[in-house]
Every structure is written in structure tokens, then in C-alpha cells.
Amino acid sequence: TFQEFRDVSATRGDRVWLCGDGAAVCSSSDSGASWAQTKPQSAASLIDIDFLDMSYGWGVSPTWAALTTDEGRSWIRSDASFGISPISSVTALDRPGCILVAGWSTWDAAFGWDGEFGLGIIDNVGANWDTLRHFRIDMYSGHVGSSRLARIGRHFWHAGTRSPNGNSLRSTDGGVTWVDMDSIGTVGDNEPSDIGFVDTLNGGVIDGGGNIRRTTDGGDSWTIIATGLGVKRLKMTSLTTGWSISDSELFETTDGGV
């Protein structure tokens, strides 16, 4: 159905959602054995989705966010504008909010790098975005993409290619304060394509080189556990069970990614 997969989201149990080019959101309640598709007009433009539970989730296009409360069958588009695009990631918060990640950068031979990066939060569908983190990219700071955000409770992680004081960040107080996290990528190369946690200590990341890394200390250190898989999204629902996608394939693990 999809020309290209864009994102996968899952809740604990056997419920999983997919979005991608050429179709709306598809969902499965039996670990992918069968699939149901929402109405094409509901979410055909969504490039990233995140479900908090079986019915409530957020999705984004490059320029706007939308909320669903009925398992993805219909979506309520937010009129709020964050002012930075393209949006690359959305993370559902306890109802009715979400956090988004957005950023861009360009290179000019005469003037160097130009761009900006931001993290924003919304507390309801009609509100304005509040800025959690924002900085301007200049000729000295180098390439910064937008990458993605992970959340467990009031703990947030953003995997980037710049540290210190860049976009590889971690918060333990709901985004009030941020500290630098070791960069998971190379400046000027690809941004890490995904990061996810199952609790405040255990998580995984697809780094800038396409390797899957695992942490057991909340992101203080990372160990490569797989290379050359060609995946771009990673969603673990427990220490053993998770989902991943390439452009055209869906993968499931029941042994922690082994």
C-alpha cells in the first residue's frame, strides 16, 4: 500500500501503526498478521506518528501537527504554528499535549552554515507552541539536522551530531533544563535517524551511520549491537519486544534486538 514507510509506532501488547507515502495510517491489533487502513483523507500527509495508548496519539507533516483520539481513524489538525520547519518528530505527552522537533540547515561556500533547531511543546490542540529549546546555526556551529526525540515520563532524549551546547540533549525534568549528551553521529554527516527508550535506563538508537546502539544507563554510554540492517525507525515496547522499518520492510523482535 505504501510507496515508502515513514514511521512506526506501537504500544505495549500487539498493537502497531504505520504511516508512509501513498497511503493513510495503517494499524494492526495482532502483531502485523492483519491490517486496517484509515480513510485516505484522514492522514495522507503524516510523516511521523506517536501513540501514547491504544487510542490517543499525535502525527505530523513537515509543517503541522494533528491529534487522534480514536486509534488513528480521524485526525484533528492543530492551527498552532511553531515557526520552524520542517518538523521531523512528534512525541505524545499525557493528554492532550505533544512535543515536536524541527530544524533545517544549508551550506553556502561564501558564508558557511545557516539554519536553526528547535524543540517545542503544545498543551492542547488549539494553543500556541511554547519553545523548550531553540538556537540559530551559524558558520561556526556546523551542520545540525532535526533528528528525533524519545520520552519516558519527564525524561527526554534527543540524539544529534553536536555537543556540547548543541542538539544532542537530555532532560530529566520535563524539558525545563537540558544537559549535553554524547553526540551519536558525525558533524556534517547524517543525523541519527531514531531513538527510543522503554524505561529511564534502557533504550536504543539508530546512529548517523545506520548502526543500532543500546544503552543501559540512560544514555550515558552506548554500545553497538547491530550494523548494516538498513533500518531507519526503531520502536521498543519492552526490553524484549520491538518494531523497526526500512523504506519498504517491517521488522519485529522478541529478544531485545538480538
Side-chain angles (χ1 to χ4, degrees):
T1 302
F2 294 105
Q3 298 171 3
E4 179 182 334
F5 290 145
R6 289 290 186 179
D7 195 26
V8 58
S9 184
T11 56
R12 283 173 170 78
D14 54 7
R15 192 64 189 265
V16 61
W17 291 263
L18 285 171
C19 69
D21 294 342
V25 172
C26 288
S27 65
S28 173
S29 58
D30 52 16
S31 292
S34 61
W35 295 86
Q37 182 175 314
T38 62
K39 297 177 181 179
Q41 65 267 30
S42 298
S45 299
L46 296 184
I47 62 168
D48 193 79
I49 51 176
D50 186 48
F51 279 79
L52 190 67
D53 54 37
M54 295 290 285
S55 58
Y56 170 84
W58 283 83
V60 290
S61 79
T63 57
W64 49 262
L67 168 71
T68 182
T69 58
D70 59 6
E71 304 180 29
R73 287 189 291 270
S74 61
W75 296 81
I76 304 168
R77 178 172 166 174
S78 171
D79 292 328
S81 175
F82 183 45
I84 303 175
S85 64
I87 300 169
S88 66
S89 178
V90 63
T91 300
L93 297 176
D94 298 335
R95 302 180 184 186
C98 70
I99 290 181
L100 62 79
V101 184
W104 60 274
S105 61
T106 60
W107 168 258
D108 184 277
F111 300 103
W113 288 103
D114 181 36
E116 57 186 329
F117 167 83
L119 295 166
I121 188 170
I122 192 171
D123 58 9
N124 64 67
V125 178
N128 292 323
W129 294 100
D130 292 325
T131 300
L132 292 177
R133 176 86 173 189
H134 175 264
F135 63 85
R136 188 76 187 185
I137 301 162
D138 57 32
M139 63 180 297
Y140 302 106
S141 57
H143 166 82
V144 173
S146 49
S147 194
R148 287 161 62 85
L149 189 78
R151 170 201 177 238
I152 296 292
R154 292 179 61 79
H155 292 247
F156 300 140
W157 299 263
H158 183 269
T161 60
R162 282 196 62 242
S163 184
N165 302 316
N167 66 331
S168 193
L169 305 166
R170 179 180 174 185
S171 175
T172 59
D173 57 11
V176 177
T177 59
W178 297 85
V179 296
D180 292 312
M181 187 170 67
D182 284 345
S183 298
I184 309 172
T186 303
V187 174
D189 200 354
N190 295 326
E191 287 290 320
S193 57
D194 208 2
I195 185 170
F197 278 75
V198 295
D199 55 41
T200 57
L201 294 177
N202 295 279
V205 66
I206 304 173
D207 66 21
N211 307 306
I212 296 179
R213 303 190 190 192
R214 179 171 59 194
T215 182
T216 58
D217 55 18
D220 290 335
S221 61
W222 296 87
T223 302
I224 293 178
I225 61 172
T227 61
L229 296 181
V231 294
K232 62 181 183 180
R233 294 289 183 261
L234 181 67
K235 178 66 177 181
M236 299 297 295
T237 58
S238 72
L239 291 176
T240 56
T241 304
W243 300 83
S244 189
I245 58 170
S246 65
D247 288 343
S248 59
E249 293 180 296
L250 173 66
F251 302 87
E252 182 183 16
T253 182
T254 57
D255 57 11
V258 176

